[in-house]
Structure formats: structure tokens, C-alpha cells
């Protein structure tokens, strides 16, 4: 018999670190610093809270390392259910990592603009502010591309959990629905100019949040049932 509890709790701990670091760098810090219709305020906010902005970059980088390790631990826990699905789970997650790392260059560009690097001294302030907002927009676009793979990895993970018998089936259902929700959110943002005006835009990623946070907490607190596989 293979003991699953230690593996499950390791995965749960990594998932928790990923969730917390993601909330901090992707939600909290932007809410404190970015004012999308006011480039002047955004520039001043980042200047006065540069340490917070830098910490968000470091935290985000670390979160991607967690996201690289997490599927490997989950593979160890769930590969006996369906090996092909387990490989897809790892592959989809892994593809997003280089995209996410490269996307951070836009935040480093923001730092250069904020710090007024010597070769930027001749650029008018309005142009500097415009470039800063462009880099923040491009960062969000890169984040949107990564979201495709953050969606795709959830489906095989949900399938494996649903079929495993060692974790609750409802978690697998929410994760598979979360995959669909993330993909619909992506195509909505890309194809519909008025997407954010639609009521569904505020709710479409909720299944993913329920599935991921629920799986994280279950793995961390409850662990997983034993398996004879």
C-alpha cells in the first residue's frame, strides 16, 4: 500500500504558497498602485511604493517556481489514475512558466521608467507616463496568454481527482468547470470589446477559484485516502 497523506499535504502546502503569492502579486499590489485611467497617479504610486512593486516582482517569480513544482508532486499522487492525463497536467502547467517569466520584463521596464534612467531624461513626462501604462497593459496581455495554460492544466487535474477515489469528486468537477470558465474568459476578453460590461464576466471564473482553493485546503488539511495502486 502506498501512503498518500504526506504527498497530498506537500502538494497542498505548495498550492497554498502559490495561491497566497498569486493573490499578493496579481491582485493586492495592482489594487494598491494602478489607476488605469490616471497615468500620473499610477506613476507616482509606483515611485512612492517602489519597494512594494519590487517585492511583487520577486513574489511573482517565486510563485512560478511553486507552479513548476506543484504539478510534479500531483503527478506522483495521481499518475496511477491515468498516466496520459497526468502527463498532460504537467505539460500544460510547464508551458506557462517561460511565458510568465518572459512577461516579467514589462515590470522591469516599468522600474526603469519610474527611476528615470539617465537615457530617459529627455523624454517628456506625458510620454513617459504613456510608456509606463503601455508596459502595464502588455504585462496584462502576457498574463492573459498564460491564463490559457492555467486553464488547460485544470482539466486533466480535475479528471484525475474525479477518477482517483482518493479525493472528493466535487473538487474534480469544479476544476474541470474552472478550465472551461477560464477559457471562456480568455476568448471573451479577446473577441468581445464590451466583455467587461457583461454580467457573466464577474462570475465566469468562480468555479476555478472554488476548485483550486478547495483542492488546496483539502490536500493540506485532509490529505488523501490511501490507494492500493
Amino acid at each position: 500500500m502506498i501512503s498518500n497523506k504526506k504527498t497530498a499535504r506537500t502538494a497542498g502546502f505548495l498550492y497554498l504558497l502559490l495561491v497566497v503569492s498569486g493573490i499578493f502579486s496579481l491582485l493586492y499590489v495592482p489594487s494598491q498602485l494602478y489607476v488605469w485611467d490616471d497615468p500620473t497617479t499610477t506613476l507616482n504610486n509606483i515611485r512612492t511604493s517602489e519597494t512594494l512593486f519590487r517585492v511583487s516582482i520577486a513574489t511573482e517569480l517565486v510563485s512560478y517556481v511553486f507552479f513548476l513544482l506543484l504539478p510534479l508532486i500531483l503527478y506522483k499522487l495521481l499518475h496511477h489514475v491515468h498516466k496520459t492525463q497526468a502527463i498532460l497536467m504537467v505539460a500544460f502547467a510547464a508551458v506557462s512558466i517561460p511565458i510568465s517569466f518572459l512577461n516579467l520584463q514589462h515590470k522591469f521596464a516599468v522600474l526603469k521608467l519610474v527611476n528615470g534612467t539617465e537615457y530617459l531624461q529627455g523624454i517628456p513626462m506625458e510620454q513617459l507616463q504613456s510608456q509606463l501604462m503601455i508596459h502595464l497593459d502588455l504585462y496584462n496581455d502576457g498574463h492573459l496568454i498564460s491564463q490559457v495554460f492555467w486553464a488547460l492544466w485544470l482539466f486533466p487535474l480535475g479528471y484525475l481527482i474525479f477518477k482517483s477515489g482518493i479525493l472528493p469528486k466535487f473538487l474534480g468537477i469544479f476544476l474541470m468547470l474552472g478550465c472551461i470558465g477560464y477559457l471562456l474568459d480568455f476568448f471573451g476578453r479577446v473577441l468581445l470589446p464590451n466583455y467587461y460590461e457583461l454580467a457573466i464576466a464577474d462570475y465566469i471564473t468562480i468555479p476555478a477559484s472554488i476548485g483550486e482553493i478547495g483542492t488546496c485546503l483539502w490536500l493540506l488539511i485532509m490529505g488523501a485516502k490511501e490507494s492500493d495502486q
Side-chain angles (χ1 to χ4, degrees), residues 7-170:
T7 302
R9 287 190 171 127
T10 300
F13 181 66
L14 280 173
Y15 220 145
L16 180 64
L17 293 176
L18 177 63
V19 169
V20 171
S21 59
I23 289 174
F24 174 78
S25 60
L26 301 178
L27 295 177
Y28 174 74
V29 173
S31 73
Q32 298 299 304
L33 302 182
Y34 306 166
V35 182
W36 291 104
D37 58 354
D38 191 343
T40 301
T41 299
T42 300
L43 176 61
N44 291 335
N45 285 346
I46 296 174
R47 273 181 174 162
T48 56
S49 302
E50 184 178 331
T51 299
L52 179 63
F53 188 77
R54 288 180 179 274
V55 169
S56 77
I57 295 175
T59 303
E60 190 172 347
L61 188 149
V62 171
S63 74
Y64 297 142
V65 175
F66 294 151
F67 191 44
L68 185 61
L69 296 175
L70 175 60
L72 298 177
I73 303 297
L74 290 170
Y75 179 89
K76 181 179 179 181
L77 181 68
L78 297 167
H79 74 277
H80 69 274
V81 178
H82 194 294
K83 192 167 184 179
T84 300
Q85 292 295 326
I87 291 172
L88 285 174
M89 173 187 69
V90 173
F92 285 139
V95 168
S96 75
I97 303 301
I99 298 172
S100 298
F101 275 129
L102 285 173
N103 195 40
L104 283 174
Q105 67 182 317
H106 293 295
K107 285 192 171 182
F108 285 108
V110 167
L111 282 177
K112 285 183 171 56
L113 292 170
V114 166
N115 286 324
T117 307
E118 186 174 346
Y119 54 78
L120 297 175
Q121 295 299 323
I123 298 179
M125 181 56 66
E126 288 186 0
Q127 187 176 341
L128 195 69
Q129 293 169 355
S130 296
Q131 289 185 21
L132 181 141
M133 299 307 292
I134 287 171
H135 278 291
L136 291 178
D137 270 332
L138 289 173
Y139 168 82
N140 282 346
D141 291 341
H143 184 269
L144 187 61
I145 295 170
S146 294
Q147 179 177 311
V148 173
F149 298 99
W150 296 343
L152 290 175
W153 97 289
L154 291 180
F155 197 90
L157 173 59
Y159 176 85
L160 292 168
I161 288 176
F162 182 80
K163 290 289 189 178
S164 69
I166 61 175
L167 292 166
K169 289 183 180 293
F170 75 87

Side-chain angles (χ1 to χ4, degrees), residues 199-215:
I200 194 173
D202 295 326
Y203 304 102
I204 201 164
T205 61
I206 288 178
S209 299
I210 294 173
E212 292 203 83
I213 294 173
T215 300

Side-chain angles (χ1 to χ4, degrees), residues 185-201:
D185 183 65
F186 170 81
F187 286 110
R189 294 191 199 191
V190 172
L191 299 176
L192 302 176
N194 65 332
Y195 175 70
Y196 290 107
E197 299 174 9
L198 303 177
I200 194 173

